[in-house]
Amino acid sequence: MGFKIAVAGATGNVGREMLNILSERGFPVDEVVALASARSQGTEVSFGDRTLKVSNLENYDFSDTDICLMSAGGTISQKWSPKIGAQGCVVIDNSSAWRYDSEVPLIVPEVNADAVSGFAKKNIIANPNCSTAQLVVALKPLHDFAKIKRVVVSTYQSVSGAGKEGMDELFTQTRAVFVADPVEAKKFTKRIAFNVIPHIDSFMEDGYTKEEWKVLAETKKILDPKIRVTCTAVRVPVFIGHSESVNIEFENEITADQARDILREAPGCLVIDKHENGGYITPYESAGEDATYISRIREDATVENGLNIWVVSDNLRKGAALNAIQIAELLVNRGLIKPRKVAA
């Protein structure tokens, strides 16, 4: 007997990807419901070879729904996730609304699957930031082997991380450049076409941005609170796929060859690391793929026990939709939830 799944925010980039991945992976569903705001009611979205009509989240009764994949933004999640959880439906939330709540597990299944058992306190599980998800997948096996002391990460994040508006702005600006039209910046603080912007999310008092702070806080919560993390987050003119340059300092000795072997065996990781032209991954190749790709693995001679790695993943999949569905699979596979709807 299958589960009843609701996807809230089904008309957005991540919501649509959630529906695609549910179908692709053959998640055991009896029924899938697409939800969004009132203005999207009646819109059609695809689920496998079927078409679903979008219903209004505000009017939906979750009393017989098993899992709600929430991708409707932080404000909506703050309002609705506790109400949905109180009806016995488990919310897997893609926003930052619940990530730092001590009673809400923040889960990347390849990294801290056992922590998922704490979901029952609020019936909410948080999905991490897209940059954090791929980072900790790569760091976890290395941390297990040599214990990480410090991480310095620079992210190169695609415009899809800013939603459909971000993708539209890159397309529109690129076309404007080629036809010599004025280039307007609306979604981003500066022109994104043929440019990079060292600013994602709002600035904080210490000069870091909220996006950078998320990577720090979430890496500590998911992996190890003792790891020191610093981050610079940059928006780049790429449609899909986040990249990260990661410098890691370890307590114990680890060589580049050891790291390569460890990462080749690690769940969710795919190593593409040849010292030749094209012997590495770029975000273009990661689009539509599930893996966290790792390239440019090399020793850092400026510190004791240091490595540099290049990490790339599809931010709409492993960074968001795929990770959420892997969490749902974890709940099912461990028998932590059962279908509530009794078969007729």
Side-chain angles (χ1 to χ4, degrees):
M1 195 177 146
F3 292 83
K4 184 174 181 181
I5 309 292
V7 177
T11 57
N13 282 345
V14 173
R16 291 176 187 270
E17 201 65 44
M18 285 172 167
L19 289 166
N20 289 338
I21 295 170
L22 277 171
S23 175
E24 282 173 17
R25 292 173 73 90
F27 191 88
V29 295
D30 271 355
E31 186 179 353
V32 176
V33 180
L35 302 172
S37 64
R39 72 175 182 274
S40 296
Q41 190 167 350
T43 303
E44 293 186 343
V45 292
S46 297
F47 171 62
D49 56 3
R50 293 165 49 200
T51 300
L52 306 177
K53 274 204 186 314
V54 173
S55 300
N56 185 351
L57 169 63
E58 304 241 351
N59 301 333
Y60 185 72
D61 178 4
F62 286 89
S63 59
D64 67 348
T65 303
D66 299 297
I67 298 171
C68 175
L69 299 172
M70 176 68 73
S71 185
T75 303
I76 299 293
S77 181
Q78 284 277 10
K79 177 182 176 182
W80 283 98
S81 292
K83 296 177 183 178
I84 296 167
Q87 291 186 60
C89 176
V90 180
V91 179
I92 301 173
D93 180 46
N94 193 57
S95 78
S96 61
W98 302 98
R99 292 175 188 158
Y100 318 109
D101 187 318
S102 61
E103 295 188 328
V104 174
L106 178 63
I107 300 295
V108 176
E110 298 94 334
V111 178
N112 64 336
D114 289 346
V116 79
S117 59
F119 80 93
K121 291 174 185 174
K122 289 190 175 178
N123 262 0
I124 302 171
I125 302 167
N127 220 23
N129 180 272
C130 43
S131 298
T132 307
Q134 66 189 65
L135 177 65
V136 296
V137 167
L139 293 181
K140 166 67 172 169
L142 301 176
H143 183 54
D144 286 348
F145 180 82
K147 199 166 187 187
I148 295 171
K149 288 168 61 177
R150 180 171 182 259
V151 177
V152 181
V153 56
S154 296
T155 72
Y156 306 89
Q157 295 178 225
S158 65
V159 294
S160 57
K164 184 177 182 297
E165 290 175 342
M167 299 178 79
D168 288 346
E169 185 148 313
L170 175 57
F171 179 84
T172 302
Q173 288 185 0
T174 303
R175 184 172 58 187
V177 169
F178 280 115
V179 299
D181 278 350
V183 175
E184 289 186 70
K186 295 177 181 176
K187 180 66 178 177
F188 300 114
T189 55
K190 293 200 175 191
R191 161 179 157 169
I192 186 62
F194 305 98
N195 198 18
V196 298
I197 305 171
H199 174 196
I200 302 176
D201 212 329
S202 56
F203 276 98
M204 302 172 70
E205 285 186 10
D206 61 1
Y208 281 79
T209 65
K210 191 73 181 293
E211 182 78 6
E212 292 158 352
W213 178 83
K214 289 173 189 173
V215 174
L216 276 59
E218 293 172 24
T219 300
K220 287 172 173 287
K221 181 171 178 178
I222 295 168
L223 195 56
D224 187 338
K226 294 179 182 174
I227 295 174
R228 291 175 291 159
V229 185
T230 186
C231 177
T232 300
V234 182
R235 188 74 71 191
V236 296
V238 169
F239 281 108
I240 295 172
H242 287 357
S243 308
E244 296 169 345
S245 172
V246 189
N247 178 264
I248 316 164
E249 188 179 350
F250 297 86
E251 284 194 16
N252 304 311
E253 186 177 349
I254 182 171
T255 67
D257 284 339
Q258 286 173 320
R260 230 172 261 116
D261 290 342
I262 290 163
L263 290 166
R264 283 195 179 107
E265 299 299 318
C269 294
L270 191 56
V271 174
I272 299 178
D273 189 27
K274 296 179 181 177
H275 301 167
E276 60 186 44
N277 293 345
Y280 40 79
I281 193 73
T282 66
Y284 176 76
E285 289 117 23
S286 78
E289 300 294 327
D290 289 347
T292 294
Y293 293 91
I294 301 142
S295 306
R296 304 296 320 280
I297 302 166
R298 61 205 189 279
E299 287 157 35
D300 176 5
T302 68
V303 294
E304 193 174 1
N305 306 326
L307 288 178
N308 289 299
I309 62 175
W310 174 250
V311 181
V312 178
S313 193
D314 182 327
N315 55 293
L316 298 180
R317 292 180 74 89
K318 185 56 191 169
L322 172 65
N323 197 75
I325 286 151
Q326 286 177 308
I327 293 170
E329 291 171 344
L330 186 61
L331 293 173
V332 172
N333 293 339
R334 294 198 172 191
L336 296 172
I337 62 168
K338 303 286 184 189
R340 295 200 292 164
K341 196 172 182 180
V342 179

